[in-house]
Amino acid sequence: MTPPRSALTYALTLLGRRDYSTFEIEEKLKGKGYPLEEISTAVGRLREWNYLDDKKYIRRQIDKYWTAKKSRTYIRQRLKLAGLEPILIDESLNRWYSPAQEREVIRYWWEKCFNAQTAAPEKKLIMRWARRLYAAGFPSEEIRPYLNNDQES
């Protein structure tokens, strides 16, 4: 019979697969039934070794979602679900994903949907596009100029 894995060993296994926030690792370990003291020790050791760093985690997640052309609101929500502090999230977003970059992402989605068309896009298609972006968390004040055809495609 093999001895049960320690919380630290299990956490290292998890971190070998993907990034986790401190909160996520703690929740995973609690879910496996490890004692709180062992969890605290494991998390402390992981932080010592720089395997667990919420600021670096946030930066990597922002880069990942920005590359995937996600909105700042979407990223903010995902990071809150990972148990990160709202103040830290907002500071990080302002530093690494500015509203100007979000406008570039909206422009990207506009060009992707409508640049290949030779004629002006139908109002119905533009409204569908706008609803999708709004539902994805993009700010309405940044979408609105496209509805008024102020943007040249």
Side-chain angles (χ1 to χ4, degrees):
M1 183 172 176
T2 60
R5 290 196 290 186
S6 69
L8 180 61
T9 304
Y10 182 62
L12 286 169
T13 301
L14 291 173
L15 288 167
R17 295 182 186 142
R18 73 170 183 89
D19 284 337
Y20 285 89
S21 68
T22 301
F23 174 79
E24 290 173 321
I25 284 290
E26 288 172 346
E27 290 299 304
K28 285 279 194 181
L29 295 175
K30 286 177 191 173
K32 284 290 188 179
Y34 290 105
L36 293 178
E37 187 176 308
E38 188 177 354
I39 292 171
S40 178
T41 303
V43 167
R45 183 80 44 89
L46 292 169
R47 282 186 173 164
E48 261 179 49
W49 296 340
N50 290 322
Y51 289 157
L52 204 54
D53 183 340
D54 284 344
K55 288 182 180 181
K56 289 179 183 176
Y57 173 82
I58 289 174
R59 176 66 194 266
R60 286 189 296 266
Q61 294 302 305
I62 289 172
D63 287 346
K64 171 183 152 184
Y65 290 124
W66 180 74
T67 302
K69 309 296 186 206
K70 301 293 184 182
S71 70
R72 288 168 46 95
T73 303
Y74 177 87
I75 296 170
R76 183 178 290 110
Q77 186 61 30
R78 297 297 298 212
L79 293 173
K80 281 182 183 176
L81 290 173
L84 298 159
E85 293 293 322
I87 293 171
L88 183 60
I89 294 169
D90 288 337
E91 287 173 358
S92 300
L93 277 172
N94 289 333
R95 186 175 189 183
W96 293 309
Y97 186 13
S98 69
Q101 289 173 299
E102 188 170 48
R103 284 191 291 276
E104 290 174 20
V105 170
I106 293 170
R107 181 74 178 171
Y108 165 83
W109 288 118
W110 173 265
E111 290 174 357
K112 182 172 181 172
C113 291
F114 300 116
N115 239 15
Q117 297 181 1
T118 54
E122 293 179 34
K123 192 70 169 176
K124 181 179 175 181
L125 293 175
I126 293 173
M127 292 303 292
R128 185 181 306 151
W129 170 84
R131 279 193 303 272
R132 284 183 182 160
L133 261 62
Y134 185 73
F138 288 97
S140 60
E141 62 271 7
E142 298 297 338
I143 298 170
R144 198 169 293 119
Y146 291 88
L147 298 177
N148 299 330
N149 289 327
D150 289 345
Q151 301 291 329
E152 294 298 320
S153 57

